[in-house]
């Protein structure tokens, strides 16, 4: 018995010396102290030994088992310690930092500017119902205005929101009046793509509901916002527009900063980029949000965030935003 126990220890030591990986040690462990190992077999045979043999060999067998386990655990500990890698921090290596996406940067600038004017940032779902995206905004089924935005309908009777305006009624229902919110977010349209049209782009909705709000308040907010983003006065023009959820409605265009208004493919040679449509919130929309249009009124606007980023960073083609080319994102690295 003693000879066999000594041999077990000797053989274990030999086999461990061959192990250079943790997995090898674990295999050896299973062989020497696992359920089907020789030492476990010997231990289970203890109960059948005579009282005399039990007294003679009992503690020897137990001690050998402990020694086998300790030898294995010590070896394992030494092995994992040697695998620790010491980094030489005196080496001069280049750290490749990431960068923010230009739309993320512009969204932060715009929301910071709006926060200074008392706006709260809220969000809404990208997958929405026809009700919030259209009906609550005074666009019933079969209304021709639905064709203004080519919609991705989903199998579950929902849709991918075509604009951030769907948050207007949700916010009114949740917070009531007075209200001053902005909603940056991704929107989706089944568009033909060109230099200024994507099928997945970002908008920022703004809405103010209070007593005695006028179109001057809206223009004041637009001017302040553009000044904060461009750090200079940018040439803009206001022209009448049409949206079923605002009355009156307007379109604010920004002089194309790619060509300085001379005309280029980005602005389709018009010299202008359609940037921020808006208007006074329609009384039907206020009603849908549970707000009395006899007491409150307000304005709303839907800024094209991706287009604003194009103007600010002089990006000629909107398609670069979604194509995942890291070389282009590297231009926006923060040191
Ligand atoms: C709307 O989406 C309205 N919800 C805006 C609004 C809000 C009006 C509140 C009144 C009150 P429009 O479809 O024009 O409107 O889109 C708004 C802006 O999103 C555009 O001025 C433009 O800057 C941007 N935009 C529209 N379509 C695209 C597109 N395919 N790719 C990139 N930007 C786009």
């Amino acid at each position: 018995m003693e000879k066999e126990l000594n041999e077990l220890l000797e053989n274990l030591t030999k086999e461990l010396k061959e192990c250079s990986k943790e997995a090898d040690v674990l295999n050896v462990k299973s062989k020497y102290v696992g359920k089907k190992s020789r030492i476990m077999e010997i231990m289970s045979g203890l109960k059948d030994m005579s009282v005399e043999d039990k007294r003679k060999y009992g503690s020897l067998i137990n001690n050998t088992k402990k020694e086998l386990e300790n030898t294995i655990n010590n070896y394992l500990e030494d092995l994992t310690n040697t695998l620790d890698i010491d980094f030489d921090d005196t080496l001069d290596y280049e750290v490749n930092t990431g960068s923010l996406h230009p739309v993320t940067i512009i969204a932060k600038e715009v929301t910071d500017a709006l926060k200074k004017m008392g706006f709260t940032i809220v969000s809404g779902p990208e997958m929405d119902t026809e009700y919030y995206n259209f009906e609550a905004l005074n666009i019933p089924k079969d209304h021709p205005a639905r064709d203004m935005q080519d919609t991705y309908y989903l199998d579950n009777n929902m849709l991918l929101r075509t604009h951030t305006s769907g948050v207007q009624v949700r916010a009114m229902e949740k917070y009531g009046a007075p209200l001053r919110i902005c909603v940056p977010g991704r929107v989706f349209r089944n568009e033909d793509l060109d230099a200024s049209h994507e099928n997945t782009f970002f908008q920022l909705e703004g809405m103010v509901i209070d007593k005695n709000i006028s179109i001057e308040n809206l223009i004041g907010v637009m001017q302040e916002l553009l000044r904060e983003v461009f750090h200079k006065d940018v040439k803009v023009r206001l022209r009448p527009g049409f949206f079923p959820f605002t009355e009156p409605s307007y379109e604010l265009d920004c002089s194309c900063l790619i060509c300085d208004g001379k005309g280029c493919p980005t602005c389709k040679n018009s010299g202008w980029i359609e940037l921020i449509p808006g208007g006074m919130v329609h009384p039907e929309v206020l009603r849908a949000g549970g707000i009395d249009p006899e007491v409150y009124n307000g304005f709303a606007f839907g800024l094209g965030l991706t287009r604003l980023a194009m103007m600010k960073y002089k990006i000629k083609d909107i398609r670069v935003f979604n194509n995942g080319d890291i070389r282009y994102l590297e231009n926006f690295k923060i040191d």
Side-chain angles (χ1 to χ4, degrees):
M1 175 66 69
E2 278 172 56
K3 189 167 171 263
E4 185 180 6
L5 292 174
N6 278 336
E7 270 172 13
L8 274 179
L9 277 167
E10 276 164 25
N11 291 342
L12 170 72
T13 313
K14 270 188 219 147
E15 284 197 38
L16 280 177
K17 277 187 186 149
E18 302 296 312
C19 296
S20 57
K21 292 199 298 275
E22 192 178 343
D24 299 337
V25 181
L26 293 177
N27 281 336
V28 171
K29 184 174 185 174
S30 155
K31 179 174 167 189
Y32 281 87
V33 290
K35 273 189 201 148
K36 291 182 182 157
S37 59
R38 176 69 189 131
I39 190 76
M40 294 309 271
E41 202 183 343
I42 297 172
M43 283 187 85
S44 67
L46 259 175
K47 60 180 182 317
D48 304 320
M49 284 184 187
S50 63
V51 179
E52 200 182 330
D53 278 356
K54 267 188 199 153
R55 208 173 291 136
K56 196 169 166 195
Y57 298 119
S59 61
L60 180 66
I61 294 169
N62 272 322
N63 288 342
T64 307
K65 182 173 172 263
K66 273 187 205 137
E67 205 173 333
L68 287 168
E69 282 170 345
N70 287 342
T71 311
I72 295 167
N73 291 338
N74 289 342
Y75 191 87
L76 198 58
E77 207 180 298
D78 285 351
L79 187 73
T80 38
N81 283 344
T82 21
L83 286 179
D84 275 352
I85 298 164
D86 280 333
F87 285 102
D88 182 352
D89 50 16
T90 61
L91 280 178
D92 188 15
Y93 53 89
E94 206 182 311
V95 178
N96 198 6
T97 51
S99 53
L100 292 176
H101 194 280
V103 174
T104 309
I105 300 172
I106 209 87
K108 169 110 177 45
E109 283 183 10
V110 175
T111 50
D112 281 352
L114 288 168
K115 277 200 282 189
K116 279 192 214 157
M117 293 184 254
F119 285 74
T120 303
I121 306 174
V122 300
S123 64
E126 290 181 350
M127 183 174 73
D128 210 345
T129 58
E130 282 201 57
Y131 175 74
Y132 285 111
N133 197 78
F134 292 126
E135 277 148 41
L137 295 173
N138 202 25
I139 318 176
K141 257 199 172 71
D142 305 322
H143 190 287
R146 288 223 182 173
D147 298 338
M148 289 164 73
Q149 303 172 355
D150 229 333
T151 311
Y152 290 111
Y153 288 94
L154 304 173
D155 288 344
N156 57 359
N157 276 331
M158 296 184 79
L159 47 79
L160 293 182
R161 66 176 174 191
T162 54
H163 52 182
T164 42
S165 300
V167 184
Q168 286 189 15
V169 168
R170 284 180 185 278
M172 285 189 265
E173 284 174 346
K174 189 162 178 195
Y175 304 109
L179 188 66
R180 205 180 287 200
I181 53 149
C182 61
V183 189
R186 193 161 52 158
V187 302
F188 310 85
R189 291 185 197 174
N190 192 5
E191 297 266 20
D192 289 334
L193 307 191
D194 62 30
S196 58
H197 288 85
E198 252 293 1
N199 53 21
T200 303
F201 57 99
F202 285 80
Q203 288 188 337
L204 180 133
E205 195 78 8
M207 189 167 73
V208 172
I209 308 285
D210 212 323
K211 291 178 180 162
N212 305 317
I213 296 291
S214 74
I215 203 94
E216 271 81 46
N217 299 125
L218 169 55
I219 294 169
V221 168
M222 296 297 96
Q223 281 171 335
E224 185 55 27
L225 199 151
L226 291 173
R227 209 173 297 128
E228 286 274 335
V229 170
F230 290 104
H231 307 296
K232 62 173 184 182
D233 284 331
V234 183
K235 214 166 126 192
V236 293
R237 72 174 183 192
L238 214 56
R239 58 190 167 87
F242 169 75
F243 296 98
F245 36 98
T246 43
E247 181 56 39
S249 306
Y250 78 88
E251 296 273 0
L252 183 142
D253 300 334
C254 156
S255 168
C256 179
L257 300 178
I258 306 286
C259 61
D260 277 332
K262 292 186 192 84
C264 68
T266 309
C267 60
K268 298 210 181 83
N269 292 314
S270 69
W272 296 95
I273 288 281
E274 200 185 291
L275 200 60
I276 321 179
M280 301 303 289
V281 180
H282 197 289
E284 281 304 319
V285 178
L286 290 172
R287 269 190 212 103
I291 290 172
D292 185 352
E294 301 297 324
V295 182
Y296 288 101
N297 72 342
F299 66 75
F301 60 90
L303 184 151
L305 263 187
T306 313
R307 292 229 183 122
L308 186 66
M310 288 173 79
M311 292 300 106
K312 168 120 188 195
Y313 299 114
K314 299 206 183 334
I315 294 167
K316 291 185 185 144
D317 196 311
I318 197 167
R319 286 164 287 198
V320 299
F321 286 104
N322 289 350
N323 75 2
D325 187 341
I326 211 89
R327 286 168 306 178
Y328 137 78
L329 282 180
E330 278 175 347
N331 293 319
F332 299 92
K333 264 191 178 167
I334 299 165
D335 292 327

